[in-house]
């Protein structure tokens, strides 16, 4: 599964994700979006062109950031950032539609159909066990962490002690809240929830900057 693909022609790395997957003989089956900002969704068109059956999932409160009408929402994010950034609007217009919408507390086995997923993995190799795939998906829980955007989420795997935090939490910092839909009070509440509910040794993988730090090291 791919989280927050940004590789595109505008950034000069359009094929970097595709090249990596092909070199490692990996077939993507889904794209998980932590939120809908342009720098986390620009890679959707090229991936869908390569793999048309790729499922895209995003929280319901950020669902308007992708899909046929994505330009209107992306314009709200980009316009305040100046002419240079606004030039990116073409790369985030008419984005692919989501296949499913996320909500707080849901696990990925409730979002992604394991039977369809297995059919997409490979036509040549022996199909993996359905129960094993469902179990693996069930280990990933969606935590709704609004503030950077209304529909920001983190993906948490308790058994592996891993949190994919998107732009909710960085090393020693957190995502900006001055763009459309952002709210500083709300994101601080989301951060408090993560710190209070998750073990301190949870490894955090954010959308930008240093990664693989522990939650306890970040917030002592």
């Amino acid at each position: 599964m791919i989280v927050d693909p940004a590789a595109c022609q505008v950034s000069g790395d359009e094929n970097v994700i595709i090249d990596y997957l092909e070199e490692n003989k990996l077939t993507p089956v889904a794209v998980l979006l932590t939120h809908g900002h342009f720098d986390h969704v620009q890679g959707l068109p090229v991936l869908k062109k390569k793999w048309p059956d790729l499922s895209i999932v995003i929280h319901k409160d950020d669902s308007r950031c992708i899909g046929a009408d994505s330009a209107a929402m992306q314009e709200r994010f980009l316009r305040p950032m100046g002419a240079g950034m606004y030039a990116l609007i073409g790369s985030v217009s008419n984005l692919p539609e989501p296949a499913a919408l996320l909500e707080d507390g849901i696990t990925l086995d409730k979002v992604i159909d394991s039977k369809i997923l297995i059919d997409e993995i490979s036509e040549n190799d022996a199909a993996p066990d359905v129960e094993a795939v469902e179990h693996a998906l069930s280990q990933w829980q969606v935590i709704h962490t609004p503030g950077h955007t209304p529909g920001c989420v983190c993906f948490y795997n308790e058994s592996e002690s891993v949190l994919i935090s998107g732009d909710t939490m960085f090393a020693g910092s957190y995502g900006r809240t001055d763009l459309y839909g952002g709210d500083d009070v709300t994101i601080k509440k989301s951060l408090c929830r993560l710190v209070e509910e998750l073990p301190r040794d949870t490894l955090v993988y954010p959308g930008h900057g240093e990664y693989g730090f522990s939650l306890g090291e970040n917030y002592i």
Side-chain angles (χ1 to χ4, degrees):
M1 298 187 188
I2 301 168
V3 180
D4 292 355
C8 67
Q9 187 174 16
V10 174
S11 54
D13 56 1
E14 182 176 13
N15 293 313
V16 66
I17 297 176
I18 293 174
D19 291 345
Y20 175 85
L21 294 174
E22 291 187 333
E23 287 170 7
N24 290 276
K25 296 180 172 58
L26 298 171
T27 302
V29 293
V31 174
L32 311 178
L33 298 178
T34 62
H35 64 293
H37 276 166
F38 60 95
D39 57 330
H40 293 251
V41 301
Q42 284 176 296
L44 292 177
V46 67
L47 292 175
K48 281 291 281 187
K49 182 178 180 181
K50 177 68 175 179
W51 293 287
D53 294 330
L54 199 61
S55 296
I56 301 169
V57 296
I58 190 170
H59 190 273
K60 57 186 180 180
D61 290 346
D62 269 17
S63 61
R64 291 187 299 161
C65 297
I66 62 175
D69 298 325
S70 59
M73 186 61 70
Q74 296 295 338
E75 183 178 16
R76 290 179 170 181
F77 300 142
L78 288 166
R79 185 176 292 278
M81 302 178 72
M85 295 300 293
Y86 187 73
L88 299 176
I89 190 66
S91 67
V92 286
S93 298
N94 194 30
L95 292 172
E97 298 284 346
L101 300 179
L102 304 171
E103 58 186 54
D104 185 56
I106 199 170
T107 51
L108 293 185
D109 60 309
K110 301 296 191 296
V111 178
I112 299 171
D113 189 317
S114 60
K115 294 184 176 65
I116 295 176
L117 183 151
I118 288 172
D119 289 341
E120 293 176 0
I121 289 175
S122 176
E123 295 180 357
N124 301 316
D125 298 335
D129 181 76
V130 174
E131 290 186 1
V133 173
E134 289 180 346
H135 175 73
L137 290 171
S138 71
Q139 301 305 294
W140 287 96
Q141 180 182 9
V142 175
I143 304 176
H144 185 207
T145 53
H148 182 58
T149 68
C152 266
V153 300
C154 297
F155 298 102
Y156 175 57
N157 189 313
E158 181 179 9
S159 64
E160 297 184 16
S161 297
V162 168
L163 180 76
I164 299 175
S165 66
D167 286 5
T168 295
M169 178 185 292
F170 301 141
S173 183
Y174 56 89
R176 63 189 295 173
T177 58
D178 59 329
L179 298 181
Y180 179 81
D183 186 87
D184 201 58
V185 172
T186 301
I187 198 171
K188 288 177 180 177
K189 289 180 179 179
S190 293
L191 291 169
C192 287
R193 178 187 178 190
L194 293 176
V195 173
E196 291 170 359
E197 295 184 5
L198 304 188
R200 296 175 64 82
D201 62 353
T202 301
L203 294 180
V204 184
Y205 293 84
H208 304 275
E210 178 186 346
Y211 59 90
F213 55 87
S214 73
L215 192 65
E217 290 175 337
N218 209 36
Y219 290 90
I220 299 175

